[in-house]
Amino acid sequence: MAAASEEAIKQFSALMEQRECSAFFPFDSLTTEEKKRAIFSSGFLVFAEMRLAFFCSCSEGASQDHIPGYPRGTLVRFLKAREWNVLKAHKMLMDSLNWRLQNEIDTVLAKPIAPSDLYRSIRDTLLVGLTGYSKQGQPVYAFGVGLSTFDKASVHYYLQSHIQMNEYRDRVVLPGASEMFAKQINTCLKVMDMTGLKLSALNQIKMLSTITAVDDLNYPEKTETYYIVNAPYVFSACWKVVKPLLQERTKKKIKVLSGPGRDELLKVMDYQTLPHFCKREGSGSGSSSDEVDCYSYDHPFHQQLYKFVKQQALSQDTAGPLKQGSMHVKVPTPDLEEAQIMETIESELQNMRGGDGISRSFNRITIEGP
């Protein structure tokens, strides 16, 4: 397998070196303003940096990993996401670079969600936060899947916030972890709290599906393990029909723990890094009165992120106050596996809703979140 993997990486590298790759950036057909945006787009810069790295890595004695994450790390991530099919991985990567360029993703961290009260409302209804680092140095993110309602802002704002979280992770959190632990860290861990999942939450599935499509196609292989905690009794029913649809690689990433999963999680992280909903015997995403939970706008992580975005905005535009308004990002079409999983989950929830009236169930595992 190792030899086959190396051969796949070499083939992928060769594809990225071919001249036709430049067709994805047709500068001659762009307006002057579009050319300026393209030049300063990290999507373009990633492409250019990868090309430079490929040339450098071909030099005698040069390390293939001399630029952290490029080119080898990126190639491996996209190859894994496409089961080491070189042509499919190549298309996926080029589609992702195009998506970044077309949607100006590289400036998303200079587009604060304003006013701050709106951002606070998003934090109250899209429950996610950074709790600390694992014993191996990976950032640990907590997600309140069941209690996220997505009902205080438009879909565009929630998607913008989610993409900002991804970009901040890749540009700030992971590099910071690498420096802190003196080794390259490219992935995170996610602890997903299923408290509050209801059969009536079908409207949440669309939002979660949108987030998942963005992550699967543009931020692949950024999560090492998903820990599912506080799963209700009927979780097993949905998991039973979803699990066979997942790729073996994905199945191995998902660990369903008993209750809040504290004992198992303490094997990979210290107590202070545990999400608040895992620190006590009872389940639930709420925090005790003497702590600010990681979801909150007032948590240091979210304060730092929001401050960072505002500073980026001010550094790029000093002409006036921060502009308000959400980004309108084109959502990629989910791949066949994702679409099939969504259809299966919706069908299973509908069946359970029409059955014994159980009020809680599992409605979605978010694969490749922030």
Side-chain angles (χ1 to χ4, degrees):
M1 177 62 185
S5 299
E6 287 299 323
E7 181 60 28
I9 295 171
K10 290 179 181 179
Q11 292 178 18
F12 200 172
S13 299
L15 278 177
M16 293 301 295
E17 278 302 290
Q18 291 179 3
R19 292 176 60 86
E20 62 261 32
C21 288
S22 62
F24 287 85
F25 298 94
F27 289 103
D28 292 341
S29 64
L30 299 181
T31 66
T32 301
E33 189 59 33
E34 287 173 335
K35 288 179 180 178
K36 290 180 180 178
R37 288 203 303 268
I39 289 172
F40 289 100
S41 161
S42 71
F44 171 73
L45 292 177
V46 165
F47 178 76
E49 184 180 40
M50 288 182 73
R51 289 182 61 84
L52 175 61
F54 282 125
F55 284 121
C56 292
S57 63
C58 292
S59 301
E60 184 176 355
S63 168
Q64 289 184 326
D65 295 313
H66 66 287
I67 298 178
Y70 295 103
R72 186 182 179 86
T74 296
L75 299 187
V76 170
R77 288 196 300 112
F78 280 81
L79 282 167
K80 285 183 177 180
R82 288 296 176 261
E83 298 296 312
W84 295 91
N85 184 304
V86 176
L87 293 179
K88 290 182 178 180
H90 176 257
K91 182 181 184 302
M92 181 185 184
L93 176 55
M94 300 312 297
D95 286 347
S96 180
L97 292 175
N98 261 328
W99 175 79
R100 296 186 67 88
L101 186 63
Q102 293 167 2
N103 292 285
E104 301 182 359
I105 299 301
D106 308 293
T107 62
V108 69
L109 287 179
K111 297 178 180 179
I113 296 174
S116 58
D117 284 346
L118 175 60
Y119 186 70
R120 182 184 292 274
S121 296
I122 291 173
R123 294 277 57 84
D124 290 341
T125 52
L126 171 54
L127 305 181
V128 57
L130 179 70
T131 67
Y133 300 87
S134 73
K135 293 178 181 179
Q136 296 300 315
Q138 298 111 319
V140 176
Y141 286 89
F143 290 83
V145 179
L147 296 179
S148 292
T149 57
F150 306 105
D151 60 355
K152 297 298 182 182
S154 71
V155 170
H156 301 296
Y157 277 119
Y158 284 112
L159 188 55
Q160 177 179 345
S161 176
H162 176 73
I163 293 173
Q164 285 179 337
M165 199 86 67
N166 283 354
E167 293 292 314
Y168 189 75
R169 174 199 62 202
D170 294 347
R171 301 188 206 181
V172 178
V173 176
L174 288 173
S178 298
E179 182 176 356
M180 187 187 313
F181 290 88
K183 63 180 181 179
Q184 190 65 36
I185 296 174
N186 297 316
T187 60
C188 63
L189 305 180
K190 294 178 181 177
V191 184
M192 310 184 76
D193 182 20
M194 297 296 170
T195 299
L197 292 168
K198 299 178 180 179
L199 296 178
S200 60
L202 288 174
N203 61 316
Q204 296 178 23
I205 291 182
K206 184 176 181 180
M207 185 67 241
L208 290 169
S209 177
T210 297
I211 288 174
T212 302
V214 167
D215 289 346
D216 284 350
L217 297 176
N218 298 288
Y219 302 94
E221 299 298 317
K222 300 300 293 188
T223 301
E224 181 174 300
T225 308
Y226 300 86
Y227 296 98
I228 311 299
V229 302
N230 296 324
Y233 175 76
V234 292
F235 169 88
S236 58
C238 281
W239 181 238
K240 183 178 180 179
V241 298
V242 169
K243 189 174 181 179
L245 302 178
L246 299 176
Q247 297 175 0
E248 196 61 36
R249 170 182 52 83
T250 302
K251 293 178 188 177
K252 292 178 179 179
K253 287 185 175 185
I254 300 172
K255 298 184 182 299
V256 182
L257 306 183
S258 176
R262 181 171 57 186
D263 292 342
E264 286 299 311
L265 291 173
L266 285 174
K267 296 177 182 179
V268 297
M269 64 188 73
D270 294 330
Y271 180 82
Q272 60 266 30
T273 299
L274 284 176
H276 56 276
F277 50 80
C278 297
K279 288 183 177 179
R280 54 188 182 281
E281 293 299 327
S283 64
S285 288
S287 63
S288 61
S289 58
D290 60 348
E291 65 175 319
V292 177
D293 72 53
C294 63
Y295 303 147
S296 173
Y297 169 82
D298 297 315
H299 189 274
F301 168 70
H302 287 298
Q303 287 289 302
Q304 291 165 9
L305 190 160
Y306 196 57
K307 180 180 179 181
F308 180 89
V309 174
K310 288 193 295 183
Q311 289 175 337
Q312 293 296 305
L314 291 173
S315 67
Q316 293 192 18
D317 183 7
T318 59
L322 298 179
K323 298 178 181 179
Q324 298 185 22
S326 63
M327 289 179 61
H328 286 234
V329 175
K330 181 179 179 181
V331 179
T333 302
D335 59 25
L336 182 61
E337 180 193 43
E338 176 66 23
Q340 188 177 8
I341 289 172
M342 283 303 308
E343 183 178 344
T344 300
I345 292 173
E346 289 190 25
S347 175
E348 188 67 18
L349 286 177
Q350 291 284 12
N351 290 339
M352 285 192 286
R353 178 188 284 181
D356 57 12
I358 295 175
S359 62
R360 291 189 176 184
S361 76
F362 165 69
N363 70 352
R364 186 72 176 94
I365 290 181
T366 305
I367 305 301
E368 295 301 338

